[in-house]
């Protein structure tokens, strides 16, 4: 209705403008008639209209009256002298949003810009590609007309040209991806035009050691290839013959998660799920070379199944599900073989297979290389292998989701177009109920080792800390006959199954990066993390805080709890067949959303964010100066006491830097947020709903900006939350296993965060320390601890990037530098001869990079200087065999220790005991309880203490605290 109204309005305006133009021309006739030699002056009409349109662009918006000059600008495209300026202004208009694109299409822009694709003018190419990018980001249906008029060749030539900037060529790759998306005619036309060779050529650097400089181009080259051969067996064969897997596998180690996920998407679409003939017999001929190529693809995907980015892991899980469909018979038989304890020589005992419920059995490339012998330890009572009956895939539906399904995406876009067979809807597949076999399965000979590796990996994927990925993993296992019968995890975040029941499809969640990562103005890839907490007067450490860019939930738009999957099944399910929906990729739809946003203007909130950050920096500097001037932080005043009502006591507590908020969590990973000024609860939520719980630590990321809460579980899983101080507003940003591949990690994980470098350090009852780059969501390095025991405490330096200290269970202390070739730069045994476990360790107040404080369970606190001998220069006998917690203030000259004997002590750096706390003054002299955790405020003289038996969190300050 609105479109027709706008069209009528523009027609009336165009008629009025035409009348005016005609009058101007006619007014010149008398002069020309009177003087035949007079020089004709062209009408300024078009120039004036373009100027008026440009003025509107400078001041107009969606909320204002549409530009009257828009239909005239389209007519100007016919004038060669004004065409370039008109296209530039038109591009600016389309960049204002989907509403502008919709308005331009309603006026009739399409035939004009389609006709211009036949021109070869160099100066028009870039702006034309931009305009078509904006059009196709809204209306995918244009793909048919583009292919019919041969427009795809225009964009292939532009993509293959090195004259344009990489981000402009990425737009051409996007246009081509939309052209082939679910459009077989487009796929065939682009293949005949050589698109596969063009994409693969530009994915390969001329020098293998040279990295591609523009991740957006890499991303869209991969997505374009993936869409080109999606469910098109002939194109898949061409891709395998063109050496595509080797080229794409090279990208699986790229630093940008978007590029890695796109490469996985392209590799996954190379896997042929097979076809079904009318009689249910596999039509595919046995092609050993193709099977070998697919096996190599899957082997590479298994290697990245524990990537740090949920975006990547989700694509891997989807690709591996495709493999389960294409190789179902072999996978079922291998799974059944391993379930026979008496006949299988690999199993030494009856199939208790309990280790699947252990979080330690995360897939490791090292474990995979051991071959099939390691499979038994990965399958447990949570799962069973089904026989070849129709029940084996009864619960074979896998949820599909629209990753960027929001109300702002208009109908007809690549994000929401229902006409695509593959973009938003699942692929409907039938299971023959007569014999329980999947009739679309290919029966091909292949090395059975890869199938055992696949099953063990999918068992780990089924326990992924990100709910959607775990759901896909469990459903993939059900497709190969490995079904859930005993759910130790009684309830899953995304909808679990109880014993003997099949689970309903979960609430559908897609995944999207939490912030825009590409700045069109600069043309550079710039996800700047932002820096270390401030530390005066060392201004070198005040350079911008790096921001972690990760994933967030987006709810599925459907009202029904089971969404699109149920609608498809209820509409088409026959009585004698089971319908299975293949989970669909999230990376393509999410990536399309980038081009529907404004690309020619910078973010409006940059200035506001910088101003807010500068204000917080100044507050922090003032508080730090006050802390450093304080000679005796006695912490004698209890300013708040909060009964958290945790059943298992308080495990961790954290004070926020710029608001009177304390966050506490218990062993069951219930997280609660409290305002200690108003004595009011703020929020409460569960870190996860799996039964295998245990909390290790709470940390704050990006504390000078919009902070993120990192919750580390005892099993090594890390979950990062945003909006955690909003009641019911918390959102999971990312989740991954910080100790992936290390089965001996146990439940003693220790972890710490270094803001300056953007690195997360994790270790535990194992021989390694894993260093994660959270900006890249990638494992940076693995450092051998070379210790005589397990690591029991970790502390990252806030001054020296890459420095961190580790305390061991046998009482030794070591300092590492990830930049040093030897990694280990200091070693001492300060707690000898008692050899008790190091409970806490930290760099001394004032961010001194050379001094550390270490406390052991025996009760002694040792002060060490790495520039001196390995012997401590100060020892404090704080407690007698019962020290449970240590806290070191970043800036104030004070440390605190707590004991299981209901006592907190505060000491100066010279060893003087400043305060001893035994009782709760607000509870009529009640003992404070066994101390589980201690945490100082980052910039103020405040101490939060959590008790283990009475679940209290108390906050202490100096007497003059206001």
């Amino acid at each position: 209705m609105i479109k027709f109204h706008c069209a009528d309005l523009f027609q009336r305006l165009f008629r009025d403008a035409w009348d005016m133009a005609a009058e101007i021309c006619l007014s010149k006739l008398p002069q020309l008639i009177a003087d035949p030699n007079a020089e004709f002056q062209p009408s300024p009409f078009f120039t004036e209209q373009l100027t008026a349109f440009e003025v509107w662009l400078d001041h107009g918006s969606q909320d204002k009256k549409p530009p009257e000059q828009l239909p005239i600008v389209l007519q100007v495209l016919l004038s060669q002298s004004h065409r370039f300026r008109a296209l530039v202004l038109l591009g600016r208009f389309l960049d204002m949003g989907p509403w502008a694109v919709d308005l331009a299409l309603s006026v009739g822009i399409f035939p004009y810009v389609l006709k211009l694709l036949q021109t070869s003018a160099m100066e028009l190419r870039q702006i034309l590609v931009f305009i078509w990018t904006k059009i196709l980001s809204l209306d995918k249906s244009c793909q048919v007309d583009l292919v019919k008029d041969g427009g795809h060749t225009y964009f292939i030539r532009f993509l293959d040209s090195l004259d344009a900037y990489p981000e402009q060529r990425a737009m051409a790759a996007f246009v081509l991806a939309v052209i082939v998306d679910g459009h077989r005619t487009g796929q065939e036309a682009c293949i005949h035009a050589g698109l596969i060779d063009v994409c693969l050529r530009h994915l390969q650097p001329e020098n293998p050691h040279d990295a591609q400089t523009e991740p957006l181009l890499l991303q869209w080259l991969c997505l374009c290839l993936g869409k080109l051969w999606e469910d098109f067996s002939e194109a898949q064969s061409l891709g395998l013959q063109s050496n595509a897997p080797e080229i794409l596998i090279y990208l699986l180690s790229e630093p940008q998660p978007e590029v890695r996920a796109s490469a996985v998407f392209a590799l996954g679409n190379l896997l042929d799920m097979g076809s079904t003939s009318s009689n249910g017999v596999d039509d595919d001929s046995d092609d050993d070379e193709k099977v070998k190529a697919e096996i190599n693809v899957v082997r590479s995907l298994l290697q990245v199944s524990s990537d740090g980015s949920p975006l990547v892991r989700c694509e891997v899980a989807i690709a591996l599900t495709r493999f389960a469909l294409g190789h179902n018979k072999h996978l079922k038989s291998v799974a059944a073989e391993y379930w026979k304890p008496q006949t299988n020589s690999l199993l030494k005992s009856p199939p208790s297979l309990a280790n699947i419920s252990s979080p330690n059995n995360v897939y490791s490339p090292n474990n995979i290389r051991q071959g099939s012998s390691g499979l038994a330890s990965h399958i447990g009572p949570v799962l069973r292998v089904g026989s070849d009956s129709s029940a084996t895939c009864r619960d074979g539906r896998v949820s599909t989701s629209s990753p960027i399904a929001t109300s702002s995406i208009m109908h007809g876009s690549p994000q929401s177009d229902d006409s695509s067979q593959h973009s938003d809807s699942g692929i409907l597949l039938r299971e023959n109920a007569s014999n329980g076999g999947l009739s679309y399965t290919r029966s091909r000979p292949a090395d059975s080792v890869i199938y055992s590796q696949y099953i063990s990996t999918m068992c780990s994927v089924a326990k992924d800390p990100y709910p959607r990925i775990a759901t896909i993993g469990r459903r993939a296992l059900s497709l190969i006959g490995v079904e859930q019968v005993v759910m130790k995890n009684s309830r899953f975040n995304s909808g679990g199954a109880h014993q003997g029941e099949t689970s309903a499809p979960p609430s559908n969640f897609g995944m999207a990066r939490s912030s825009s990562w590409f700045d069109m103005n600069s043309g550079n890839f710039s996800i700047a993390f932002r820096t270390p907490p401030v530390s005066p007067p060392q201004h070198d450490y005040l350079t911008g805080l790096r921001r972690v860019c990760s994933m967030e939930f987006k709810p599925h738009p459907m009202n029904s709890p089971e969404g699109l999957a149920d609608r498809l099944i209820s509409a088409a399910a026959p009585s004698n067949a089971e319908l299975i929906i293949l989970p669909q990729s999230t990376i393509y739809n999410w990536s399309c959303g980038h081009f529907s946003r404004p690309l020619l203007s910078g973010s409006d909130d940059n200035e506001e964010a910088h101003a807010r950050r500068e204000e917080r920096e100044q507050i922090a500097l003032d508080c730090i100066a006050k802390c450093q001037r304080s000679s005796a932080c006695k912490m004698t005043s209890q300013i708040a006491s909060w009964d958290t009502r945790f059943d298992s006591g308080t495990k961790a507590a954290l004070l926020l830097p710029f608001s009177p908020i304390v966050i506490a969590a218990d062993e069951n990973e219930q997280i609660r947020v409290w305002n200690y000024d108003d004595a009011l609860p703020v929020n409460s939520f569960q870190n996860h709903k799996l039964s295998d719980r245990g909390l290790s630590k709470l940390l704050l990321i990006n504390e000078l900006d919009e902070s993120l809460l990192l919750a580390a579980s005892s099993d090594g899983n890390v979950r990062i939350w945003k909006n955690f101080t909003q009641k019911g507003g918390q959102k999971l940003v990312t989740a991954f296993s910080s100790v992936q591949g290390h089965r001996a990690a146990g439940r003693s994980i220790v972890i710490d965060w270094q803001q300056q470098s953007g690195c997360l350090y994790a270790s535990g009852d194992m021989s390694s320390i894993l260093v994660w780059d959270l900006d890249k969501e990638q494992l940076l390095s693995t450092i051998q601890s070379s210790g005589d025991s397990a690591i029991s405490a970790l502390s990252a330096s806030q001054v020296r990037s890459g420095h961190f200290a580790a305390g061991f269970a046998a009482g030794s202390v070591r300092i590492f530098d990830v930049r040093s070739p030897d990694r280990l730069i200091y070693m001492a045994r300060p707690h000898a001869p008692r050899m008790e476990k190091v409970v806490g360790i930290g760099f001394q107040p004032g961010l001194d990079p050379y001094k550390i404080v270490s406390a052991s369970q025996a009760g002694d606190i040792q002060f060490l200087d790495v520039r001196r001998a390995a012997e401590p220069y100060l020892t404090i006998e704080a407690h007698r065999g019962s020290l449970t917690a240590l806290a070191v203030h970043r800036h104030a000259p004070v440390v605190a220790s707590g004991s299981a004997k209901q006592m907190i002590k505060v000491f100066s750096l010279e060893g003087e005991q400043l305060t001893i706390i035994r009782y709760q003054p607000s509870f009529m002299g009640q003992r404070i309880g066994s101390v589980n955790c201690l945490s100082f405020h980052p910039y103020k003289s405040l101490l939060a203490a959590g008790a283990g038996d009475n679940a209290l969190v108390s906050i202490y300050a100096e007497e003059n605290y206001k």
Side-chain angles (χ1 to χ4, degrees), residues 597-617:
R597 295 188 291 269
L599 300 175
L600 300 178
S601 58
S603 178
D604 296 334
D605 59 339
N606 278 346
E607 292 184 5
E608 181 182 348
H610 285 309
R612 183 173 61 250
R613 189 170 193 279
E614 288 179 1
E615 179 184 359
R616 289 186 170 185
E617 281 186 355

Side-chain angles (χ1 to χ4, degrees), residues 44 106 136 312 374 384 417 424 460 508 639 656 717 719 758 774 797 866 876 896 962:
S106 67
L136 289 174
V312 178
R384 72 173 172 87
D417 189 351
D424 294 288
S460 297
N508 291 317
I639 63 171
L656 296 194
N717 285 335
R719 294 171 177 86
L774 291 197
S797 171
V866 300
I876 300 174
K962 295 182 181 180

Side-chain angles (χ1 to χ4, degrees), residues 18 129-130 148 188 234 265 390 405 427 475 586 630 698 719 752 772 831 944-945:
W18 174 257
V129 169
F130 179 82
K148 189 186 342 182
E188 292 172 347
E234 290 83 356
F265 172 78
S390 60
I427 300 175
R475 309 270 179 183
T586 57
S630 178
L698 294 177
R719 294 171 177 86
D752 203 16
W772 290 88
H831 301 286

Side-chain angles (χ1 to χ4, degrees), residues 19-68:
D19 291 342
M20 185 181 71
E23 289 178 3
I24 293 175
C25 291
L26 291 173
S27 66
K28 296 180 180 295
L29 285 177
Q31 180 183 358
L32 293 173
I33 293 173
D35 183 6
N37 296 323
E39 183 179 356
F40 175 74
Q41 297 294 329
S43 170
F45 175 75
F46 283 154
T47 303
E48 292 172 352
Q49 291 297 313
L50 289 177
T51 301
F53 187 52
E54 188 171 9
V55 171
W56 188 95
L57 290 175
D58 292 336
H59 304 284
S61 68
Q62 182 179 5
D63 302 326
K64 295 185 179 181
K65 184 180 177 182
E68 299 177 357

Side-chain angles (χ1 to χ4, degrees), residues 3 6-7 9-15 17 45-46 48-57 61 64-78 85-110 112-113 131 135:
K3 285 185 179 181
C6 290
L9 174 63
F10 281 130
Q11 285 179 4
R12 290 196 299 270
L13 294 172
F14 185 74
R15 284 195 296 268
F45 175 75
F46 283 154
E48 292 172 352
Q49 291 297 313
L50 289 177
T51 301
F53 187 52
E54 188 171 9
V55 171
W56 188 95
L57 290 175
S61 68
K64 295 185 179 181
K65 184 180 177 182
E68 299 177 357
Q69 300 79 20
L70 183 58
I72 301 170
V73 170
L74 299 185
Q75 294 296 318
V76 177
L77 296 178
L78 301 176
R85 184 186 178 196
L87 283 173
V88 171
L89 294 178
L90 186 59
R92 284 183 56 190
F93 177 70
L94 298 179
D95 195 50
M96 297 182 78
W99 66 270
V101 179
D102 195 47
L103 191 61
L105 288 173
S106 67
V107 175
I109 184 179
F110 185 80
Y112 291 93
V113 292
I131 287 174
I135 292 174

Side-chain angles (χ1 to χ4, degrees), residues 741-865:
H742 293 266
R743 297 174 54 190
R747 294 184 60 80
S748 57
I749 296 301
V750 288
I751 210 161
D752 203 16
W753 161 251
Q754 190 172 64
Q755 184 71 53
Q756 185 181 9
S757 63
C759 289
L760 186 75
Y761 303 93
S763 188
D765 189 11
M766 55 190 190
S767 60
S768 303
I769 304 154
L770 277 70
V771 185
W772 290 88
D773 187 327
L774 291 197
D775 188 17
K776 301 174 183 176
E777 297 184 271
Q778 197 172 39
L779 183 63
L780 193 63
S781 63
T782 301
I783 300 174
Q784 295 301 313
S785 64
S786 304
D788 47 5
S789 59
I791 294 178
S792 55
L794 267 181
S795 178
S797 171
Q798 297 302 322
V799 173
R800 289 196 163 185
S801 178
H803 278 221
F804 65 95
F808 290 77
S812 62
V813 168
R814 300 184 181 209
I815 297 180
F816 298 88
D817 183 354
V818 297
R819 300 164 302 177
S820 169
D822 298 330
R823 306 295 175 88
L824 180 63
I825 60 174
Y826 177 79
M827 181 174 61
R829 295 181 178 274
H831 301 286
R834 283 172 284 194
M835 305 289 287
E836 290 279 358
K837 178 176 73 173
V838 174
V839 173
I841 194 169
F843 288 85
Q844 280 197 23
L847 302 178
D848 190 327
Y850 301 107
K851 295 181 179 180
I852 59 173
V853 182
S854 175
S856 79
Q857 196 170 20
D860 59 316
I861 302 175
Q862 306 289 348
F863 291 73
L864 299 161
D865 190 331

Side-chain angles (χ1 to χ4, degrees), residues 245-258:
E246 286 74 9
I247 297 171
L248 292 167
I249 288 168
Y250 180 80
L251 300 175
L252 296 180
S253 58
E254 282 292 300
Q256 296 81 19
E258 297 89 347

